[in-house]
Amino acid sequence: GIQVEQSPPDLILQEGANSTLRCNFSDSVNNLQWFHQNPWGQLINLFYIPSGTKQNGRLSATTVATERYSLLYISSSQTTDSGVYFCAGDNTDKLIFGTGTRLQVFP
Amino acid sequence: GAGVSQSPSNKVTEKGKDVELRCDPISGHTALYWYRQSLGQGLEFLIYFQGNSAPDKSGLPSDRFSAERTGGSVSTLTIQRTQQEDSAVYLCASSSGPARPQHFGDGTRLSIL
C-alpha cells in the first residue's frame, strides 16, 4: 500500500513565525487532504488538494502531483495553530494517513 | 445535522464484551468511513461505505470487527469479544462522494479493561 511520510515530526515556533510542513507519498494519490487535530482531539479538514495551490487565510497548500509531494504553509503562526497536522491520501477513496507533524506555538 | 455525530463519546468495557459504536453522518453525504487512532498505530482506515455499493472492508483488523450502514445514513461499528488492543479512539467521517473532502466526528474513546 501507499506510504505517507511527513516532516518534520515536531516543530516549535514563537507566535508570528512562518513554517512549512511537507508530505511525501510513495505513489500517486487522487484525494490528498490536510487535517489539523487540535489539542482536544478534533480533526478539522484544512484542504482537499490533489493538485495545485489553495489558500485559506494564513494557511496555504501546494501539491505537486507529478512529484508526489505536498506542502502546507502556515504564516504568522498563532497559539491556536498548535496541534498535530496530518496529510492523507490514497489512489482509492479511503485515506492513508501520515504520522503527523506536532506543532507547538508559544506566545 | 451540521456535522458528523458519534456516540457514545466515551466507552469503558471489560475484555470479552461486545460494543457498538454509532455514527450519524452529515445529512446528504453518501460516503461514510470508519478509522481508528491509537498510540502505536496512528490513524488507520477500517471500512468505507459508498451509496448502495458493497463496503470496502479491507481495513478491518479481524473478523471480530463488523459494520453496517442502514438506509444509507447511520452506521454502527460492532466489535465482538473485545481485547485490550482494541482500546483506541474510533473516528467516523463522511463526504459528499468519493474523492471529496472528508469531515470527521469527535470520535468514541474506547477503553478495554
Side-chain angles (χ1 to χ4, degrees), chain B:
Chain B
V4 178
S5 178
Q6 292 189 244
S7 60
S9 53
N10 286 282
K11 177 74 176 178
V12 181
T13 193
E14 294 179 345
K15 176 182 170 181
K17 300 287 189 184
D18 297 352
V19 295
E20 283 190 353
L21 313 179
R22 176 188 169 105
C23 173
D24 223 319
I26 292 172
S27 179
H29 277 191
T30 59
L32 187 149
Y33 310 79
W34 284 97
Y35 298 85
R36 72 175 177 182
Q37 186 173 28
S38 56
L39 282 176
Q41 300 298 321
L43 267 155
E44 50 180 347
F45 165 77
L46 296 177
I47 187 169
Y48 159 51
F49 297 88
Q50 169 54 43
N52 295 322
S53 303
D56 176 352
K57 304 180 182 179
S58 60
L60 294 180
S62 79
D63 59 8
R64 296 185 297 103
F65 288 71
S66 63
E68 63 178 21
R69 189 178 185 193
T70 53
S73 181
V74 172
S75 177
T76 302
L77 177 69
T78 301
I79 309 174
Q80 296 179 309
R81 305 181 301 283
T82 51
Q83 304 294 311
Q84 287 187 331
E85 61 263 27
D86 300 334
S87 295
V89 177
Y90 288 81
L91 292 157
C92 177
S94 70
S95 67
S96 57
R100 296 301 303 149
Q102 293 186 22
H103 300 280
F104 281 77
D106 290 346
T108 294
R109 182 175 298 277
L110 177 64
S111 301
I112 309 299
L113 303 178

Side-chain angles (χ1 to χ4, degrees), chain A residues 34-65:
Chain A
W34 283 95
F35 295 88
H36 175 221
Q37 188 165 42
N38 64 25
W40 296 271
Q42 295 171 320
L43 260 176
I44 307 299
N45 193 303
L46 299 175
F47 293 103
Y48 175 83
I49 188 164
S51 64
T53 296
K54 289 186 177 179
Q55 179 153 9
N56 184 2
R58 295 181 297 102
L59 302 182
S60 64
T62 294
T63 295
V64 183

